[in-house]
Amino acid sequence: MTAKPSKIVDCTVRDGGLVNNWDFSIEFVQDLYRSLDEAGVEYMEIGYKNSPKLLKGADAAGPWRFLNDDFLRKVIPNKGRTKLSALVDIGRVDESDVLPRTESMLDLIRVACYIQDVDKALELVSLFHERGYETTLNIMALSNVMENQLIEAFDAIRESVVDVVYVVDSYGSLKPSDFAYLIDKFKQHLPNKKLGVHTHNNQQLAFANTLLAVDKGVEYLDTSVYGMGRAAGNCNTELLVAHLPGTKYSVRPVLEMIEKHMLPLRQKEEWGYIMEYMVTGLLDEHPRSAMAQRGSDKQDRIVDFYDQLTTPEVLHGK
């Protein structure tokens, strides 16, 4: 089987912002855009298009949490080939904030939801489609979804206008065999849709799972530079750029970005393969408990953390 041409969606600002509350300088984001454009990466997810009116703690977050088109025009005055993407969450976006694509800096709007909100997500997708955007549907926490729920969702998705549907490993718990199974299931039920993958690196499988997806013809591949993303982070942009079959990308500009910005940032902020995140990935758990542990005086007490999460009361008292 010939793999379809891949498209990389770099999520450094959006997913990485979950690490540092979107406290990226304009220079950082401009340099990132320039490096991705020179590298040949197709999309840069420059943040969330959520509304500050609908979220607590909005004042403390950086501007990439609530993207404003006038602000984006100043940040990226000369857009190159790399398209711009933003993510929205159900219940956190004000539809009136989203301009028609002809008036916007954004090209792609991705809608994230849990399985019970697929219908609401598809309503938003339809709206953004009407306004001229490329669209994706990202169903989160797939490892916790019952198969009958997924089949029901597929029926609605198949009839929708969404361009791309994502297989999302929110907890970094899926193995390559799990990804193979899910991708086959999505392809079987959604033959008319393109597919994407979003991986997390709790078990150091983000890169392997992404390469498996490429072999299975998945076109849209989420990454982040130096793996920067919530908790254990994502598939590394630099690895994928360097390794994709018949690569049309250039890794050197991404290495420049890592040397100038990511290595110093990693001295201040923590993400990546860390034992507490490995434990939550192993147990198919949301990383919030691991993030809390890392932020407390109990960090690196891994055995206590593991025991706490695997006591019968915790496992069966959910």
Side-chain angles (χ1 to χ4, degrees):
M1 170 182 167
T2 308
K4 293 175 185 170
S6 51
K7 294 176 176 64
I8 294 176
V9 182
D10 181 273
C11 305
T12 309
V13 177
R14 200 272 308 163
D15 210 324
L18 290 155
V19 174
N20 68 346
N21 206 21
W22 299 276
D23 185 23
F24 297 107
S25 68
I26 287 174
E27 181 199 13
F28 177 99
V29 175
Q30 288 175 330
D31 285 354
L32 177 63
Y33 183 80
R34 197 177 306 114
S35 74
L36 294 173
D37 193 47
E38 287 177 16
V41 169
E42 288 81 4
Y43 295 87
M44 170 172 158
E45 191 148 82
I46 198 163
Y48 282 94
K49 187 65 179 165
N50 288 334
S51 168
K53 302 187 290 283
L54 301 172
L55 269 173
K56 291 177 186 170
D59 297 346
W64 321 101
R65 186 73 171 103
F66 311 103
L67 291 171
N68 173 286
D69 278 285
D70 292 334
F71 172 69
L72 280 184
R73 283 186 198 96
K74 291 172 188 162
V75 175
I76 312 220
N78 301 305
K79 207 164 155 191
R81 288 171 304 168
T82 298
K83 295 178 177 181
L84 292 178
S85 161
L87 190 82
V88 303
D89 294 309
I90 298 297
R92 293 178 173 179
V93 59
D94 182 341
E95 296 164 12
S96 62
D97 289 342
V98 181
L99 300 171
R101 183 178 177 182
T102 51
E103 301 167 34
S104 172
M105 289 290 289
L106 300 171
D107 304 283
L108 167 67
I109 298 186
R110 312 204 301 167
V111 181
C113 72
Y114 290 104
I115 191 75
Q116 65 269 24
D117 290 326
V118 163
D119 54 341
K120 293 175 189 167
L122 291 176
E123 286 173 19
L124 279 178
V125 161
S126 180
L127 180 79
F128 299 143
H129 176 80
E130 284 169 21
R131 293 182 189 175
Y133 293 97
E134 300 170 40
T135 56
T136 81
L137 177 70
N138 297 37
I139 306 173
M140 298 182 289
L142 274 177
S143 57
N144 284 186
V145 174
M146 301 286 286
E147 185 151 336
N148 61 319
Q149 292 177 293
L150 202 51
I151 302 295
E152 193 178 320
F154 285 149
D155 291 339
I157 295 165
R158 197 165 47 248
E159 303 305 315
S160 75
V161 293
V162 74
D163 298 305
V164 186
V165 185
Y166 264 79
V167 179
V168 181
D169 182 17
S170 298
Y171 303 158
S173 62
L174 298 178
K175 300 184 289 295
S177 57
D178 301 322
F179 256 97
Y181 176 81
L182 281 168
I183 290 166
D184 287 346
K185 183 74 65 180
F186 273 62
K187 286 170 85 170
Q188 176 192 343
H189 290 273
L190 303 172
N192 59 336
K193 301 299 180 188
K194 296 173 183 171
L195 297 183
V197 289
H198 181 89
T199 58
H200 278 271
N201 209 30
N202 301 62
Q203 300 184 83
Q204 294 197 330
L205 289 171
F207 182 44
N209 285 336
T210 304
L211 288 183
L212 177 136
V214 172
D215 288 344
K216 285 190 153 290
V218 172
E219 291 177 62
Y220 286 71
L221 312 168
D222 281 14
T223 64
S224 59
V225 174
Y226 207 47
M228 186 183 186
R230 185 197 65 190
N234 308 112
C235 177
N236 295 51
T237 303
E238 63 275 12
L239 284 176
L240 209 55
V241 158
H243 280 85
L244 277 177
T247 186
K248 54 189 182 284
Y249 303 106
S250 167
V251 74
R252 194 174 188 279
V254 187
L255 298 181
E256 288 174 349
M257 179 70 195
I258 291 170
E259 184 179 316
K260 181 177 179 181
H261 288 288
M262 305 309 292
L263 294 178
L265 182 57
R266 186 61 180 78
Q267 297 299 311
K268 296 191 294 182
E269 303 286 353
E270 182 179 89
W271 71 86
Y273 179 71
I274 289 161
M275 292 313 297
E276 285 91 341
Y277 300 143
M278 185 279 274
V279 169
T280 57
L282 205 61
L283 300 174
D284 192 18
E285 292 266 358
H286 193 289
R288 64 172 69 87
S289 58
M291 293 161 77
Q293 176 101 346
R294 294 301 303 166
S296 75
D297 58 3
K298 295 179 181 176
Q299 67 170 250
D300 297 328
R301 287 171 58 181
I302 306 148
V303 177
D304 283 352
F305 182 64
Y306 177 79
D307 288 346
Q308 177 192 325
L309 288 188
T310 53
T311 59
E313 298 78 35
V314 173
L315 282 174
H316 302 294
K318 291 182 187 176

